[in-house]
Amino acid sequence: MVGVRVLLAVAYPLLAHWASHRGSGEAAAFALVDLMLIVLLGPLAARRPWAWVLLAALISGLAMLASTPWLQLLLLAPPMLFTALLAWWFGRSLRAPREALISRIVGALDGCEPSQLPSPLYRYTRRLTAAWSLLLATLSLTNGLLAVIAVPGGVLVRLGHPPLFAVAQQQWSLFANLLNYGIVGGFFVAEYVIRRRLFPHRPYRNFVDFMRRMGALGPDFWRKLFS
C-alpha cells in the first residue's frame, strides 16, 4: 500500500500541471481524484464503508462541477496547503517538550534518544529542522502569492479584479506543481553533502545507504513522527 501511495503522490503534481495547462474542469477533476485517493487509500484498502461512500460522493461532486471554473480554482490550493502543513509540522517540533523532527530522525538512525546525540550534532539537527520549516513556509507563501496573481485562472481574476502584476497560469503551475519538488529535493541533497563534511563519521556509507536506513525505520516510525 505504501508503494501505491507513493505512485499516486508522484502522479499528482504531473496530473495537476497537465490539468492547469489544459484549463479544463474534467482534467482538474482527474487530478483531484488522485489527491483524494492519496488521502483515503488506507481506509479504502481496509474496506471501510464510510471511505467508499465518501469517495463516491466526492467523485459525484467533482463530476457536477466539471463544467464550472471551480475545479481549476481548487487546484490552486494543494501546493500552498501542503507546504504550509509541513512547515507547521517542522516548526512546532521545535517547541518544548517536543524534540525537533530532524533530531528524532537522526536519533532513530543512531539508535538513541535525541537528547543523547553529541552536542554539535544535536544543535545542527535543531537548526536544520528550523531551516526546513523556513524553506517550506517560504514555498507556501510563494505558492499562495502566485495563485492569487495567476492569469487567467488565479484568485483575483476569478473575483473580477485583474492583478497589477501577473504570471501566466502555466508559470504558476510549473512552480507550484513541479519546481517546488525540485527545490525540496535539491535542498535535501545539498544538506546531505554539507552534513557529510561537518560530520564525516556517520553510520551510513553513502547517500544510497542513508536512504536505505531511512526507509528501514519503517512506516510506524514515520506515522508517529508526524502525529
Side-chain angles (χ1 to χ4, degrees), residues 7 12-13 15 17 24 30 37 39 45 73 76 78 86 88 92 97 108 146 171 184-185 206 210 212 219:
L7 289 175
Y12 174 75
L15 291 172
H17 182 63
S24 70
F30 197 66
L37 290 174
V39 176
L73 193 60
L76 299 174
L86 286 177
W88 174 75
R92 75 162 184 165
L146 294 179
Q171 291 174 316
V184 169
N206 49 45
F210 168 64
R212 183 188 64 78

Side-chain angles (χ1 to χ4, degrees), residues 128 131-133 135 181-194:
L128 180 58
W132 271 111
S133 181
L135 172 67
Y181 301 94
I183 293 171
V184 169
F187 186 87
F188 185 82
V189 173
E191 185 280 320
Y192 173 82
V193 173
I194 294 171

Side-chain angles (χ1 to χ4, degrees), residues 50-165:
W50 66 265
W52 287 96
V53 171
L54 178 59
L55 180 64
L58 290 173
I59 291 176
S60 298
L62 292 178
M64 293 174 60
L65 295 173
S67 59
T68 73
W70 292 109
L71 295 191
Q72 283 291 330
L73 193 60
L74 284 176
L75 283 181
L76 299 174
M80 178 183 63
L81 296 178
F82 179 64
T83 48
L85 179 60
L86 286 177
W88 174 75
W89 261 326
F90 276 91
R92 75 162 184 165
S93 71
L94 293 168
R95 298 180 59 183
R98 299 179 184 273
E99 285 286 4
L101 286 183
I102 305 297
S103 302
R104 292 171 63 185
I105 294 171
V106 174
L109 290 172
D110 287 14
C112 67
E113 293 296 322
S115 59
Q116 297 174 328
L117 293 170
S119 295
L121 182 58
Y122 181 72
R123 289 193 299 270
Y124 177 82
T125 57
R126 287 189 58 83
R127 291 169 182 166
L128 180 58
T129 302
W132 271 111
S133 181
L134 178 61
L135 172 67
L136 292 164
T138 302
L139 289 176
S140 178
L141 290 173
T142 304
N143 290 331
L145 175 61
L146 294 179
V148 168
I149 64 174
V151 173
V155 175
L156 284 178
V157 172
R158 298 289 189 191
L159 294 175
H161 303 290
L164 295 177
F165 303 97

